[in-house]
Amino acid sequence: ETGVTQTPRHLVMGMTNKKSLKCEQHLGHNAMYWYKQSAKKPLELMFVYNFKEQTENNSVPSRFSPECPNSSHLFLHLHTLQPEDSALYLCASSQRWTRTSNYFVDTQYFGPGTRLTVL
Amino acid sequence: SQQGEEDPQALSIQEGENATMNCSYKTSINNLQWYRQNSGRGLVHLILIRSNEREKHSGRLRVTLDTSKKSSSLLITASRAADTASYFCATDSMEYGNKLVFGAGTILRVKS
């Protein structure tokens, strides 16, 4: 148990559906992340939120829409997805996120992921 | 190719043997971390080594870092079946905006 929970754990949706993924961290962290993990590919960073503000959008298509209402909760709203969007979506949190330090340390704590299948 | 690359892609050993995985990267880094992922689950942080450190230990794990060769190794001693998982290195560097960049991972299978 890492202190980061994700729901649902599995999701099957059609290309015309709208669904949302939820992430909650109980660690008192200030930064939260969405990653996409596809088979045989490295983990892809999608979004970063720091103190509820989006600081990174890694050229993610607009059919993925993140929302961070507070430092403990992170959502990923999905609409009109494509079959190639099927993947494991991982949420993570860390104490802080900063660009300023040369000795920036970012140990991340991951949730169990949501296995998404787009039909 | 990417910032972090693990080698080998897959490794199969007998319980009790040692497992060594390597990670190479391209740019100078601030820190390097190793994570573990059981099948279909989230990643779990194992160990972090700073750029000014050469070796760190944690239980049965030993990590080395050679910044001149831009490489790191993860050694798991006296492996157990429960060590079966994917192992990823992740680096943070100024060149990549201090974001964590993960490699593709090494799949370790420990046979009992």
Side-chain angles (χ1 to χ4, degrees):
Chain A
E1 182 62 51
T2 62
V4 181
T5 58
Q6 288 186 244
T7 55
R9 294 294 311 280
H10 300 272
L11 178 62
V12 179
M13 59 187 288
M15 288 190 286
T16 58
N17 291 159
K18 289 185 179 181
K19 295 287 184 183
S20 295
L21 309 184
K22 179 183 175 182
C23 175
E24 183 173 0
Q25 59 98 357
H26 311 273
L27 301 169
H29 289 164
N30 296 310
M32 296 187 78
Y33 312 78
W34 279 117
Y35 288 89
K36 176 183 178 182
Q37 187 177 34
S38 305
K40 298 184 179 180
K41 290 178 69 176
L43 217 57
E44 298 173 59
L45 179 65
M46 301 175 71
F47 301 103
V48 180
Y49 276 82
N50 190 38
F51 291 98
K52 304 188 297 179
E53 299 297 321
Q54 187 180 121
T55 55
E56 289 286 328
N57 177 337
N58 210 23
S59 302
V60 180
S62 59
R63 57 186 183 270
F64 294 92
S65 175
E67 179 191 357
C68 188
N70 55 61
S71 293
S72 298
H73 294 86
L74 185 64
F75 295 89
L76 189 62
H77 303 299
L78 316 171
H79 62 99
T80 59
L81 294 191
Q82 305 297 311
E84 60 265 29
D85 296 322
S86 297
L88 182 68
Y89 288 84
L90 293 164
C91 173
S93 70
S94 68
Q95 180 63 39
R96 62 193 171 100
W97 162 252
T98 176
R99 291 180 180 274
T100 60
S101 171
N102 286 333
Y103 294 95
F104 170 70
V105 175
D106 180 27
T107 296
Q108 297 187 5
Y109 295 79
F110 285 81
T114 294
R115 173 67 64 185
L116 173 66
T117 302
V118 181
L119 301 175
Chain B
S1 59
Q2 57 224 7
Q3 162 74 331
E5 292 189 4
E6 288 91 343
D7 166 61
Q9 291 185 328
L11 180 61
S12 184
I13 60 174
Q14 289 295 135
E15 204 166 27
E17 293 180 338
N18 295 342
T20 299
M21 289 158 269
N22 303 295
C23 170
S24 59
Y25 54 90
K26 291 183 168 50
T27 69
S28 59
I29 60 171
N30 299 323
N31 309 279
L32 185 143
Q33 303 181 48
W34 284 92
Y35 286 81
R36 162 198 169 127
Q37 182 181 34
N38 287 82
S39 180
R41 305 281 296 182
L43 280 70
V44 176
H45 176 255
L46 295 177
I47 199 165
L48 178 149
I49 187 165
R50 297 177 187 271
S51 59
N52 61 354
E53 297 176 315
R54 292 296 167 259
E55 187 170 315
K56 282 191 87 167
H57 297 257
S58 176
R60 292 184 295 113
L61 306 180
R62 173 179 169 249
V63 169
T64 61
L65 179 65
D66 187 334
T67 52
S68 66
K69 295 182 179 177
K70 293 187 168 60
S71 68
S72 172
S73 67
L74 170 67
L75 168 67
I76 304 174
T77 59
S79 63
R80 305 166 183 168
D83 295 327
T84 295
S86 293
Y87 292 82
F88 298 88
C89 69
T91 58
D92 66 271
S93 64
M94 295 285 284
E95 284 83 353
Y96 283 84
N98 290 330
K99 292 175 287 190
L100 269 189
V101 178
F102 288 82
T106 292
I107 300 171
L108 172 66
R109 182 184 170 211
V110 181
K111 295 177 283 187
S112 55

Coordinates of all heavy atoms in Angstrom, one line a residue, chain B residues 14-65:
Chain B
Q14 N 17.5 -18.7 -11.3 CA 17.0 -19.6 -10.3 C 17.0 -18.9 -8.9 O 17.8 -18.0 -8.6 CB 17.9 -20.8 -10.2 CG 17.8 -21.8 -11.3 CD 16.4 -22.4 -11.4 OE1 15.8 -22.5 -12.5 NE2 15.9 -22.9 -10.3
E15 N 16.1 -19.2 -8.1 CA 16.0 -18.7 -6.7 C 17.3 -18.9 -6.0 O 18.0 -20.0 -6.2 CB 14.9 -19.4 -5.9 CG 14.3 -18.6 -4.8 CD 13.0 -19.2 -4.3 OE1 12.8 -20.4 -4.4 OE2 12.2 -18.4 -3.7
G16 N 17.8 -17.9 -5.3 CA 19.1 -18.0 -4.6 C 20.2 -17.3 -5.4 O 21.2 -16.9 -4.8
E17 N 20.1 -17.2 -6.7 CA 21.1 -16.6 -7.5 C 21.0 -15.1 -7.4 O 20.0 -14.5 -7.0 CB 21.0 -17.0 -9.0 CG 21.2 -18.5 -9.2 CD 21.1 -18.9 -10.7 OE1 20.4 -18.1 -11.4 OE2 21.7 -19.9 -11.1
N18 N 22.0 -14.4 -7.9 CA 22.0 -12.9 -7.9 C 21.5 -12.5 -9.3 O 21.8 -13.1 -10.3 CB 23.4 -12.4 -7.7 CG 23.9 -12.7 -6.3 OD1 23.2 -13.0 -5.4 ND2 25.3 -12.6 -6.1
A19 N 20.9 -11.3 -9.3 CA 20.4 -10.7 -10.5 C 21.0 -9.4 -10.7 O 21.0 -8.6 -9.7 CB 18.9 -10.6 -10.5
T20 N 21.5 -9.1 -11.8 CA 22.1 -7.8 -12.1 C 21.4 -7.2 -13.3 O 21.3 -7.8 -14.4 CB 23.6 -7.9 -12.4 OG1 24.3 -8.4 -11.2 CG2 24.2 -6.5 -12.7
M21 N 21.0 -6.0 -13.2 CA 20.4 -5.2 -14.2 C 21.1 -3.9 -14.4 O 21.6 -3.3 -13.4 CB 18.9 -4.9 -13.9 CG 18.0 -6.1 -13.9 SD 16.5 -5.9 -13.0 CE 17.1 -6.5 -11.4
N22 N 21.2 -3.5 -15.6 CA 22.0 -2.2 -16.0 C 21.1 -1.2 -16.6 O 20.1 -1.5 -17.2 CB 23.1 -2.6 -16.9 CG 24.0 -3.7 -16.4 OD1 24.7 -3.5 -15.4 ND2 24.0 -4.8 -17.0
C23 N 21.5 0.0 -16.4 CA 20.8 1.2 -16.9 C 21.8 2.2 -17.5 O 22.8 2.5 -16.8 CB 20.0 1.9 -15.8 SG 19.2 3.4 -16.3
S24 N 21.6 2.6 -18.7 CA 22.4 3.6 -19.3 C 21.6 4.8 -19.7 O 20.4 4.7 -20.0 CB 23.1 3.1 -20.6 OG 22.2 2.7 -21.5
Y25 N 22.2 6.0 -19.6 CA 21.5 7.2 -19.9 C 22.4 8.2 -20.7 O 23.6 7.9 -20.8 CB 21.0 7.9 -18.6 CG 22.1 8.1 -17.6 CD1 22.8 9.3 -17.6 CD2 22.4 7.1 -16.6 CE1 23.8 9.5 -16.6 CE2 23.4 7.4 -15.7 CZ 24.1 8.5 -15.7 OH 25.1 8.8 -14.8
K26 N 21.8 9.2 -21.2 CA 22.5 10.1 -22.1 C 23.1 11.4 -21.6 O 24.2 11.8 -21.9 CB 21.6 10.4 -23.3 CG 21.3 9.3 -24.2 CD 20.4 9.7 -25.4 CE 20.3 8.6 -26.4 NZ 19.9 7.3 -25.9
T27 N 22.3 12.0 -20.7 CA 22.7 13.3 -20.2 C 23.3 13.3 -18.8 O 23.1 12.3 -18.1 CB 21.5 14.3 -20.3 OG1 20.6 13.9 -19.2 CG2 20.8 14.3 -21.6
S28 N 23.9 14.3 -18.4 CA 24.3 14.4 -17.0 C 23.0 14.5 -16.1 O 22.0 15.0 -16.6 CB 25.1 15.6 -16.7 OG 24.5 16.8 -17.1
I29 N 23.0 13.9 -15.0 CA 21.8 13.7 -14.2 C 22.0 14.3 -12.8 O 23.1 14.5 -12.3 CB 21.4 12.2 -14.0 CG1 22.5 11.4 -13.4 CG2 21.0 11.7 -15.4 CD1 22.1 10.0 -13.0
N30 N 20.9 14.6 -12.1 CA 20.9 15.0 -10.7 C 20.9 13.7 -9.8 O 21.6 13.6 -8.9 CB 19.7 15.8 -10.4 CG 19.7 17.1 -11.2 OD1 20.7 17.7 -11.5 ND2 18.5 17.5 -11.6
N31 N 20.0 12.8 -10.2 CA 19.7 11.6 -9.4 C 19.3 10.5 -10.3 O 18.8 10.7 -11.4 CB 18.6 11.8 -8.3 CG 18.8 13.0 -7.5 OD1 19.6 13.0 -6.6 ND2 18.2 14.1 -7.9
L32 N 19.4 9.3 -9.8 CA 18.9 8.1 -10.5 C 18.2 7.2 -9.5 O 18.7 7.0 -8.4 CB 20.1 7.3 -11.2 CG 19.7 6.1 -12.1 CD1 20.6 6.0 -13.3 CD2 19.6 4.8 -11.3
Q33 N 17.0 6.8 -9.9 CA 16.2 5.9 -9.0 C 15.9 4.6 -9.7 O 15.9 4.5 -10.9 CB 14.9 6.6 -8.7 CG 15.1 8.0 -8.1 CD 13.8 8.6 -7.8 OE1 12.9 8.0 -7.2 NE2 13.6 9.9 -8.1
W34 N 15.7 3.6 -8.9 CA 15.2 2.3 -9.4 C 13.8 2.1 -8.8 O 13.6 2.3 -7.6 CB 16.2 1.2 -9.0 CG 17.4 1.1 -9.8 CD1 18.6 1.8 -9.6 CD2 17.6 0.4 -11.1 NE1 19.5 1.5 -10.6 CE2 18.9 0.7 -11.5 CE3 16.8 -0.4 -11.9 CZ2 19.5 0.1 -12.7 CZ3 17.3 -0.9 -13.0 CH2 18.6 -0.6 -13.4
Y35 N 13.0 1.6 -9.7 CA 11.6 1.2 -9.3 C 11.3 -0.2 -9.7 O 11.9 -0.7 -10.6 CB 10.6 2.1 -10.0 CG 10.5 3.6 -9.5 CD1 11.4 4.5 -9.8 CD2 9.5 3.9 -8.6 CE1 11.4 5.8 -9.4 CE2 9.4 5.2 -8.1 CZ 10.4 6.2 -8.5 OH 10.3 7.5 -8.0
R36 N 10.4 -0.8 -9.0 CA 9.9 -2.1 -9.3 C 8.4 -2.1 -9.6 O 7.7 -1.4 -9.0 CB 10.2 -3.0 -8.1 CG 9.5 -4.3 -8.0 CD 9.5 -4.8 -6.6 NE 8.6 -6.0 -6.4 CZ 9.0 -7.1 -6.0 NH1 10.2 -7.4 -5.6 NH2 8.1 -8.1 -5.9
Q37 N 8.0 -3.0 -10.5 CA 6.6 -3.1 -10.8 C 6.2 -4.5 -11.0 O 6.7 -5.2 -11.8 CB 6.3 -2.3 -12.1 CG 4.8 -2.3 -12.5 CD 4.5 -1.6 -13.8 OE1 5.3 -1.7 -14.7 NE2 3.3 -1.0 -13.9
N38 N 5.3 -4.9 -10.1 CA 4.7 -6.3 -10.3 C 3.6 -6.2 -11.4 O 3.1 -5.1 -11.6 CB 4.1 -6.7 -9.0 CG 5.1 -7.1 -7.9 OD1 5.6 -6.3 -7.3 ND2 5.4 -8.4 -7.9
S39 N 3.4 -7.3 -12.0 CA 2.6 -7.4 -13.2 C 1.2 -6.6 -13.0 O 0.5 -6.9 -12.2 CB 2.3 -8.8 -13.6 OG 1.5 -8.9 -14.7
G40 N 1.0 -5.6 -13.9 CA -0.2 -4.9 -13.9 C -0.5 -4.0 -12.7 O -1.6 -3.5 -12.5
R41 N 0.6 -3.7 -12.0 CA 0.4 -2.9 -10.8 C 1.2 -1.6 -10.9 O 1.9 -1.4 -11.9 CB 0.9 -3.7 -9.5 CG 0.3 -5.0 -9.3 CD -1.1 -4.9 -8.7 NE -1.0 -4.3 -7.4 CZ -2.1 -4.2 -6.6 NH1 -3.3 -4.5 -7.0 NH2 -1.9 -3.6 -5.4
G42 N 1.1 -0.8 -9.9 CA 1.9 0.5 -9.9 C 3.4 0.2 -9.6 O 3.8 -0.9 -9.2
L43 N 4.1 1.3 -9.8 CA 5.6 1.2 -9.5 C 5.9 1.5 -8.0 O 5.2 2.3 -7.4 CB 6.4 2.2 -10.4 CG 6.6 1.8 -11.8 CD1 5.4 1.8 -12.7 CD2 7.7 2.7 -12.4
V44 N 6.9 0.8 -7.5 CA 7.3 1.0 -6.1 C 8.7 1.4 -6.1 O 9.6 0.8 -6.7 CB 7.1 -0.3 -5.3 CG1 7.6 -0.1 -3.9 CG2 5.6 -0.7 -5.3
H45 N 9.0 2.5 -5.4 CA 10.3 3.1 -5.3 C 11.2 2.1 -4.5 O 10.8 1.7 -3.4 CB 10.3 4.4 -4.7 CG 11.6 5.0 -4.5 ND1 12.3 5.1 -3.3 CD2 12.5 5.6 -5.4 CE1 13.4 5.7 -3.4 NE2 13.6 6.0 -4.7
L46 N 12.4 1.8 -5.1 CA 13.4 0.9 -4.4 C 14.5 1.7 -3.7 O 14.8 1.6 -2.5 CB 13.9 -0.1 -5.3 CG 13.0 -1.1 -5.9 CD1 13.7 -2.0 -7.0 CD2 12.3 -1.9 -4.9
I47 N 15.1 2.5 -4.5 CA 16.4 3.2 -4.0 C 16.7 4.4 -4.9 O 16.4 4.4 -6.1 CB 17.5 2.2 -4.0 CG1 18.6 2.6 -3.1 CG2 18.0 1.8 -5.4 CD1 19.6 1.5 -2.7
L48 N 17.3 5.4 -4.3 CA 17.7 6.6 -5.0 C 19.2 6.8 -4.8 O 19.7 6.6 -3.7 CB 16.9 7.8 -4.5 CG 17.2 9.2 -5.1 CD1 16.0 10.1 -5.2 CD2 18.4 9.9 -4.4
I49 N 19.9 7.1 -5.9 CA 21.3 7.4 -5.7 C 21.6 8.8 -6.4 O 21.1 9.0 -7.5 CB 22.2 6.3 -6.3 CG1 23.7 6.5 -6.0 CG2 21.9 6.1 -7.8 CD1 24.5 5.3 -6.3
R50 N 22.3 9.6 -5.7 CA 22.6 11.0 -6.2 C 23.8 10.9 -7.1 O 24.6 10.0 -7.0 CB 22.8 11.9 -5.0 CG 21.7 12.1 -4.1 CD 22.0 13.0 -2.9 NE 21.0 13.1 -1.9 CZ 20.0 14.0 -1.9 NH1 19.9 14.8 -2.9 NH2 19.1 14.0 -1.0
S51 N 23.9 12.0 -7.9 CA 25.0 12.0 -8.9 C 26.4 12.0 -8.2 O 27.4 11.6 -8.9 CB 24.8 13.2 -9.8 OG 24.8 14.4 -9.0
N52 N 26.5 12.4 -7.0 CA 27.8 12.5 -6.3 C 28.0 11.2 -5.5 O 29.0 11.1 -4.7 CB 27.9 13.7 -5.4 CG 26.9 13.8 -4.3 OD1 26.0 13.0 -4.3 ND2 27.0 14.8 -3.5
E53 N 27.2 10.2 -5.6 CA 27.3 9.0 -4.9 C 27.7 7.9 -5.9 O 27.4 7.9 -7.0 CB 26.0 8.6 -4.1 CG 25.6 9.6 -3.1 CD 24.3 9.2 -2.4 OE1 23.4 8.9 -3.2 OE2 24.2 9.3 -1.2
R54 N 28.4 6.9 -5.4 CA 28.9 5.8 -6.3 C 28.2 4.5 -6.0 O 28.1 3.6 -6.8 CB 30.4 5.6 -6.2 CG 31.2 6.8 -6.7 CD 30.9 7.0 -8.2 NE 31.4 8.3 -8.7 CZ 30.5 9.3 -9.0 NH1 29.2 9.1 -8.8 NH2 31.0 10.4 -9.4
E55 N 27.8 4.3 -4.7 CA 27.2 3.0 -4.4 C 26.2 3.2 -3.2 O 26.5 4.0 -2.3 CB 28.3 2.0 -3.9 CG 27.8 0.6 -3.7 CD 29.0 -0.3 -3.5 OE1 30.0 -0.3 -4.3 OE2 29.0 -1.1 -2.6
K56 N 25.1 2.5 -3.2 CA 24.2 2.5 -2.1 C 23.6 1.1 -1.9 O 23.5 0.3 -2.9 CB 23.0 3.5 -2.4 CG 23.4 4.9 -2.1 CD 22.2 5.8 -2.2 CE 21.5 5.9 -0.8 NZ 20.5 7.0 -0.7
H57 N 23.3 0.8 -0.7 CA 22.7 -0.5 -0.3 C 21.4 -0.3 0.4 O 21.2 0.7 1.1 CB 23.7 -1.2 0.6 CG 25.0 -1.5 0.0 ND1 25.4 -2.8 -0.4 CD2 26.1 -0.7 -0.2 CE1 26.6 -2.8 -0.9 NE2 27.1 -1.5 -0.8
S58 N 20.5 -1.3 0.1 CA 19.3 -1.3 0.9 C 18.8 -2.8 0.9 O 18.4 -3.3 0.0 CB 18.2 -0.5 0.2 OG 17.0 -0.6 0.9
G59 N 19.0 -3.4 2.1 CA 18.7 -4.8 2.2 C 19.5 -5.6 1.2 O 20.7 -5.6 1.2
R60 N 18.8 -6.4 0.4 CA 19.5 -7.2 -0.6 C 19.8 -6.5 -1.9 O 20.2 -7.1 -2.9 CB 18.6 -8.4 -0.9 CG 18.4 -9.4 0.3 CD 17.6 -10.6 -0.1 NE 16.2 -10.3 -0.5 CZ 15.7 -10.4 -1.7 NH1 16.4 -10.8 -2.7 NH2 14.4 -10.1 -1.9
L61 N 19.5 -5.2 -1.9 CA 19.7 -4.4 -3.1 C 21.1 -3.6 -3.0 O 21.4 -3.1 -2.0 CB 18.6 -3.4 -3.3 CG 17.2 -3.9 -3.4 CD1 16.2 -2.7 -3.6 CD2 17.0 -4.9 -4.4
R62 N 21.8 -3.6 -4.1 CA 23.0 -2.8 -4.2 C 22.9 -2.1 -5.5 O 22.8 -2.7 -6.6 CB 24.2 -3.7 -4.1 CG 25.5 -2.9 -4.4 CD 26.7 -3.8 -4.2 NE 27.9 -3.2 -4.7 CZ 28.6 -3.6 -5.8 NH1 28.1 -4.6 -6.6 NH2 29.7 -2.9 -6.2
V63 N 23.1 -0.7 -5.5 CA 23.0 0.1 -6.7 C 24.4 0.8 -6.8 O 24.9 1.3 -5.8 CB 21.9 1.1 -6.6 CG1 22.1 2.2 -7.7 CG2 20.6 0.5 -6.7
T64 N 24.9 0.8 -8.0 CA 26.1 1.5 -8.3 C 25.8 2.5 -9.4 O 24.9 2.4 -10.2 CB 27.3 0.6 -8.8 OG1 26.8 -0.1 -10.0 CG2 27.6 -0.4 -7.7
L65 N 26.6 3.6 -9.4 CA 26.5 4.7 -10.3 C 27.8 5.1 -10.8 O 28.7 5.4 -10.0 CB 25.7 5.9 -9.7 CG 25.5 7.1 -10.7 CD1 24.6 6.7 -11.8 CD2 25.0 8.3 -9.9

